[in-house]
Structure formats: C-alpha cells, structure tokens
Amino acid sequence: IVDIKTIPENKEKLSVLTYNILAPGLAKFGYCDPKFLEWQYRKYKILEQIKLYNADIMCFQEMQSGAYTDFFTPSLHEFDSIFQTKGRVGKFLQKEQFNVDGCSIFFRKNKFDLVEYEAFEYRQIAAKRDVGIVHPKFASIFNFRDDIALVCILRIKETQELICVVNTHLYWDPRFDGIKLWQGKVLLEELDRIEQRYLGVPIILCGDFNSIPSSSLYSYLQKGTLENNDKGLFFDDVKVTMNTLKHKFKLNSVYGITIGEPDFTNITDTYKGTLDYVWISEHLE
C-alpha cells in the first residue's frame, strides 16, 4: 500500500493498495496449516486486513467471480468497483463460473466517480494485430494465456482531476521472462490508445507482474526502452523481434524510488521474491 499525491497545487493525497488475494484453488503451501488456507477462514482475514489498510483505491488479483459478487462487494459497501474474469470463464458451465478468478478495482464512493473502464485479454489484442512475436513456440504460449488487464478513468470529486488506474495479472512462469515482457508491451500500447482520449492523465499501474526487479519487464517499464540485445527478447536463444521496444510513459515504481523494493511480496514452498508493484507516471509523486 502506498500514498500518492497529484502534482498540481491541490496535491490531492490518495492511498493505493495492490493485493493478490490468492484464489482458493492455488492456496497450497506446505509450510502453512491447511485450516488457515481454507477460503471460509481466509476471506474474513483478508477483509480484516483490507479494512486495516483503509485505502482509497484497491486493486485485487485472483479474486473469484463468486467472491467478488457475494462477499467483497457487499462487505465493502463504501466502495464502487469493477471486475473482470479471465478469459477461461467461457469454458465453464454457468454454475462453475463463480470459481473463475480475475482482477477488480475498488474505489471510494465519496472520493471518485467512474468515467469509463475497459478490460482486455492480452491474447485477444495479439490476435487482432501484430505485436512483434515471430517465433512460433513463443507465440503459442502467449496466445494460450488468458491473462488480463483492467483500466479505469476516475474523476476525483473534490478537485475534478482525472486519474487512470490500471490493474493487471501477468503470466506466472519464471522461465518465460519474454512472455511477461510482451504482455507489458501490449499493456502500454493499450494505455497509449486510451490516453489519447485523456491527454496527460496521471497513471497508477498496479498488479502482480510475476517479474522480479532485475527482469526485462521491470527495466522496460522503468526506462521506457529496451534494446534488441536484451535477454527478454529471446526465446530458447532464438530472437523473437528485431525492434527496440519503446514506450512514452515515464513510470516509476513507488517503492523503488522511495524506500526500495521490498525483499519479497510472494512466498511459496520453493520461492521467495518481489513480484508485485505500484507504478506511477510523472504526474504523480
């Protein structure tokens, strides 16, 4: 969770939380007593933690459709929200669709009005236009994934300023740095398209990026460019593009420019590291 200020004279202060709440089917850790991983126990602890943080904007990953509808929305009645399931929802019977997870954004009713929102699946964007992937195996993995992003434009009631809030959850597998890099590329291209309607709108980009601070994606987000010799542009030693990647947004990780990235945001039986971030554009501090 972080506190963010808008740059103009009013300097409206906002608190932002990003949180992968771990879908029930993925809650399998040997170091934890199974009774504490049961959703009926865990959901109340998550809610308790959320209310303790008392954020203005909250971005959640791995929130199941049923949990969003039946638990979090009524429990967080002081918030408006938007939600999008992953693309696999269409493969399930209607009664099973409540178990499909996705991303949500909650924002305080007394602070914000929703102007508009969009949700998109990375592979659907890739199917519509060339995203620079030419290696067949790389493309097959990219197109198989149903990872998503959720983008909304909010108006701050007190100042009438607009902000763009983004929540995403990228591919999990640590072996494929390049898949996450290309998902990040698609995300920023879509943000560029949306930003054309709201020129200069401040951006808050949250999510589980499944990428460590030394990754190609982190470097690309931070520096705005990635040279064509970067390891993330290769797949099994085969180059997947000839182009240098560039984006126009001047983004900073809030923790990265203040106290430094945390030692970890994720712990499993076999892994401990930082994968989750809050990024802000130059219009915020």
Side-chain angles (χ1 to χ4, degrees):
I1 183 168
V2 297
D3 290 331
I4 297 172
K5 291 182 180 179
T6 54
I7 292 297
E9 294 77 17
N10 293 315
K11 288 202 171 183
E12 177 74 9
K13 186 176 180 181
L14 311 172
S15 55
V16 179
L17 169 71
T18 185
Y19 194 169
N20 184 328
I21 63 172
L22 191 62
L26 300 176
K28 300 173 183 178
F29 301 114
Y31 62 79
C32 185
D33 189 321
K35 69 181 181 182
F36 297 126
L37 297 176
E38 290 293 330
W39 181 244
Q40 289 304 313
Y41 170 85
R42 197 159 57 87
K43 68 181 183 180
Y44 292 105
K45 290 299 181 181
I46 293 171
L47 182 63
E48 181 181 313
Q49 193 174 30
I50 289 169
K51 291 190 173 183
L52 179 65
Y53 287 135
N54 196 35
D56 299 313
I57 298 170
M58 302 185 295
C59 295
F60 299 106
Q61 305 87 41
E62 293 194 23
M63 180 175 284
Q64 289 185 325
S65 177
Y68 170 77
T69 303
D70 298 337
F71 181 70
F72 287 105
T73 298
S75 297
L76 298 168
H77 55 84
E78 66 271 37
F79 290 82
D80 279 328
S81 61
I82 54 177
F83 174 77
Q84 179 65 40
T85 56
K86 291 180 178 178
R88 72 190 70 166
V89 68
K91 300 178 182 180
F92 290 83
L93 297 174
Q94 186 171 5
K95 66 180 181 179
E96 298 172 330
Q97 291 179 358
F98 281 132
N99 294 324
V100 180
D101 70 282
C103 292
S104 63
I105 300 175
F106 285 72
F107 47 93
R108 288 194 180 276
K109 293 178 181 179
N110 64 349
K111 278 202 169 188
F112 307 100
D113 290 317
L114 178 64
V115 178
E116 71 161 314
Y117 78 93
E118 290 190 25
F120 58 86
E121 196 177 336
Y122 292 105
R123 65 180 176 185
Q124 290 181 344
I125 302 298
K128 293 177 183 177
R129 56 178 166 79
D130 179 20
V131 295
I133 300 175
V134 296
H135 189 273
K137 189 174 180 182
F138 189 100
S140 68
I141 296 174
F142 188 96
N143 294 330
F144 173 76
R145 299 298 306 169
D146 61 352
D147 306 301
I148 60 171
L150 192 55
V151 183
C152 69
I153 303 295
L154 300 178
R155 178 178 286 109
I156 302 172
K157 289 186 175 183
E158 185 174 345
T159 65
Q160 295 301 297
E161 295 173 87
L162 297 179
I163 57 171
C164 176
V165 180
V166 187
N167 184 17
T168 192
H169 190 188
L170 303 186
Y171 185 38
W172 67 271
D173 197 327
R175 297 174 298 171
F176 300 113
D177 192 30
I179 298 291
K180 287 163 276 198
L181 173 61
W182 247 254
Q183 289 178 329
K185 173 182 182 290
V186 170
L187 174 59
L188 293 176
E189 289 173 350
E190 289 301 292
L191 283 182
D192 190 5
R193 176 183 59 80
I194 294 169
E195 195 259 356
Q196 297 304 312
R197 302 197 293 271
Y198 306 96
L199 292 176
V201 64
I203 295 172
I204 301 172
L205 170 56
C206 301
D208 181 347
F209 295 83
N210 275 312
S211 301
I212 60 176
S214 61
S215 67
S216 299
L217 175 60
Y218 188 101
S219 179
Y220 178 52
L221 291 172
Q222 183 182 56
K223 296 178 181 178
T225 185
L226 204 64
E227 296 302 323
N228 59 12
N229 62 350
D230 186 274
K231 62 182 175 65
L233 302 179
F234 289 78
F235 184 86
D236 291 343
D237 296 324
V238 178
K239 199 168 185 56
V240 297
T241 183
M242 293 301 294
N243 300 319
T244 298
L245 299 187
K246 291 183 179 180
H247 69 81
K248 71 177 186 181
F249 302 105
K250 296 179 180 178
L251 299 171
N252 283 301
S253 166
V254 176
Y255 276 92
I257 61 172
T258 53
I259 62 175
E261 300 295 358
D263 292 335
F264 60 91
T265 62
N266 180 276
I267 298 179
T268 70
D269 292 332
T270 58
Y271 178 81
K272 178 180 178 181
T274 297
L275 304 174
D276 308 83
Y277 306 94
V278 177
W279 296 84
I280 58 173
S281 67
E282 60 181 331
H283 308 288
L284 300 167
E285 65 180 16

